[in-house]
Amino acid sequence: MSIPLSFNQEFLCMFDQGDEQGPFGPLYNIVGGWRLAGKVDTDALREALDDIVVRHEALRTTIVRTPGDQRQEIHPASPVRLEVRDLSEPDHAARARRAEELLIKLEGGHHGVEDLPLIRAVLGRFDEEDAVLVLVVHHTAADEVSMQLIIRDLGVRYAERRGHEVAPLPEATRFRDFAVWERERYAPSVEVAARDYWRLQLAGARITGVPTDHPKSAGVAKTTAVHRFRVDAELTSAALAMARQTRGSAFMVLLAAYKVFLNGLVGEDDIVVPTLASGRGPARFQNTVGAFFNFVPLRTNVSGAATFREVVRRTRTTCLKAYGNPLPFGQVVAGAPELAASFGADDLGVVAFQVFQFPALEGEDAGDVRISEIRRRLLSQSVSTDIPDGAMLQLDIDPASGEMLGHLGYNTNLFHESTMREFAAGFVEVLGPLLRNPDAPLSRS
């Protein structure tokens, strides 16, 4: 049986060089960490992990990348590798850092896309009642929402394996069914109004590129590093307040500030910033694990905007129209052929933008174990999970501290560490005055 690729899987193939770089390489993973309070039964945990692979076939799916014969192949379920490590640490205050150091180490590890199943686990024990669980999933098989589904389902299956009564999990539609639905929904023969919207919206546009330190043609060895930083609680509160005032979201407000920052950095008024949207489609796929995310280019012209509030208003309009016209990125590019030119430019890198605001999993019971998500990441790292091309600026709103935690991942063949530190600091420097006085005259680039 030939199973078609989803459009996102097809998009990833655009960056495939046929080697171990990029989205099919051993560093293109998504990694999540959780603290486990209580005595963990490793046998029950192994069995629960195996249950997840049976339930979600994306975790046992490979992509045939042969030109002209690209497709999904679903494989039988196989056992998940669970590694148990001794992280004995008597100082409770030091355990959060030890947990983050474990996450960093695993994010820099190699996990092949052909090594099934595409999920592996490490359990680090601080003592008999305190542990950290890290799940590593190849990014071709899961996205951020999928990681939340996996840990939810794992907690339920673990509790069942331990003999506890739990509510049944909702049905999980297969990812292959999503691919079929998507192919039918956006088939070339089907009239899709969103195609006209994006063709007009992006006419003559190209994604805004940032000057790189190294040309791509220099052949500098590539890794992906991460610079982490904090945005204080005062600015975070101001961003949330402005989102309420403008009937928008924190993402819209922070994206508007990022557009003002890019305007000053590159001297262009017509700013096109890519972000990642859920792309999950109908409700029946809300419990499905898979790589659903869709690349969405958000175009806003800041020319003539007198105040930051006006930029927020324009950005909000951009976002609402984009959300109302979902379309796979490949079809967006087909209607706007100049859009992706910055990806091919020798001296430019694309810095995508995301904001995470979903609540962390705090103290969820899984039978006799309590699960809490590790969201507070503060340590920078020289090797992390791969970004196929360019950089990604992510802001995670931390409900516990009221701060925003910044994560700037970047390709080291394009950018120096010092450049990325300055990039992040420059964004925060611009963000402060904009949020503190959004109605002040906006200085022009």
Side-chain angles (χ1 to χ4, degrees), residues 107-126:
E107 285 173 341
H110 286 60
H111 308 284
V113 72
E114 302 297 334
D115 186 11
L116 295 172
L118 297 176
I119 178 173
R120 45 204 50 84
V122 174
L123 180 71
R125 292 187 183 275
F126 298 120

Side-chain angles (χ1 to χ4, degrees), residues 19-331:
D19 54 19
E20 291 203 335
Q21 295 288 330
F24 298 99
L27 278 167
Y28 189 63
N29 298 295
I30 184 167
V31 180
W34 296 266
R35 290 289 288 272
L36 305 184
K39 191 170 183 177
V40 178
D41 181 336
T42 54
D43 289 336
L45 182 58
R46 282 191 177 92
E47 293 167 350
L49 286 163
D50 292 344
D51 290 340
I52 299 306
V53 174
V54 173
R55 174 171 165 83
H56 296 294
E57 67 177 26
L59 300 174
R60 45 191 167 87
T61 298
T62 56
I63 297 175
V64 176
R65 296 143 62 190
T66 307
D69 188 30
Q70 295 173 341
R71 65 186 188 281
Q72 298 184 63
E73 283 192 353
I74 317 298
H75 301 268
S78 55
V80 176
R81 186 174 64 204
L82 170 63
E83 179 186 351
V84 181
R85 298 188 184 185
D86 181 7
L87 297 181
S88 296
E89 176 56 72
D91 182 359
H92 285 256
R95 292 180 178 181
R97 184 181 179 94
R98 291 287 302 278
E100 186 171 353
E101 288 170 346
L102 178 61
L103 280 163
I104 287 173
K105 186 171 184 179
L106 294 173
E107 285 173 341
H110 286 60
H111 308 284
V113 72
E114 302 297 334
D115 186 11
L116 295 172
L118 297 176
I119 178 173
R120 45 204 50 84
V122 174
L123 180 71
R125 292 187 183 275
F126 298 120
D127 60 32
E128 285 298 308
E129 298 289 332
D130 187 8
V132 55
L133 175 67
V134 181
L135 299 180
V136 182
V137 184
H138 203 274
H139 217 337
T140 57
D143 53 17
E144 292 284 349
V145 174
S146 295
M147 296 298 282
Q148 304 299 313
L149 295 174
I150 288 170
I151 196 64
R152 179 201 69 182
D153 295 359
L154 182 63
V156 170
R157 292 292 189 242
Y158 176 83
E160 288 178 335
R161 292 289 185 178
R162 292 283 295 158
H164 295 270
E165 290 189 10
V166 294
L169 289 170
E171 180 183 357
T173 308
R174 301 176 304 181
F175 186 73
R176 72 171 87 176
D177 296 329
F178 170 78
V180 171
W181 169 83
E182 192 182 42
R183 288 286 173 180
E184 293 174 349
R185 171 69 181 85
Y186 296 106
S189 59
V190 176
E191 185 174 339
V192 179
R195 292 194 187 110
D196 290 334
Y197 166 77
W198 286 108
R199 179 175 51 81
L200 295 172
Q201 170 69 8
L202 298 174
R206 61 174 57 191
I207 292 173
T208 301
V210 173
T212 59
D213 296 309
H214 303 291
K216 294 172 185 174
S217 59
V220 177
K222 174 194 169 187
T223 59
T224 296
V226 175
H227 169 67
R228 289 192 170 90
F229 59 98
R230 284 182 281 187
V231 179
D232 65 37
E234 176 202 354
L235 290 185
T236 305
S237 177
L240 294 172
M242 188 159 193
R244 292 190 294 271
Q245 293 169 13
T246 56
R247 295 182 299 117
S249 66
F251 171 77
M252 295 173 185
V253 172
L254 294 166
L255 175 62
Y258 183 55
K259 287 176 179 282
V260 172
F261 168 66
L262 287 180
N263 166 248
L265 182 68
V266 302
E268 297 175 5
D269 291 331
D270 189 7
I271 306 295
V272 184
V273 173
T275 191
L276 298 177
S278 168
R280 284 182 168 258
R284 68 179 182 273
F285 300 116
Q286 298 310 302
N287 290 293
T288 303
V289 166
F292 287 89
F293 59 87
N294 187 37
F295 217 52
V296 180
L298 299 172
R299 182 185 194 181
T300 308
N301 196 313
V302 301
S303 175
T307 65
F308 178 57
R309 191 179 299 276
E310 173 61 19
V311 179
V312 173
R313 186 192 67 77
R314 295 183 189 184
T315 302
R316 178 181 181 274
T317 299
T318 295
C319 291
L320 291 177
K321 288 183 177 180
Y323 301 156
N325 289 277
L327 191 69
F329 184 68
Q331 296 194 9

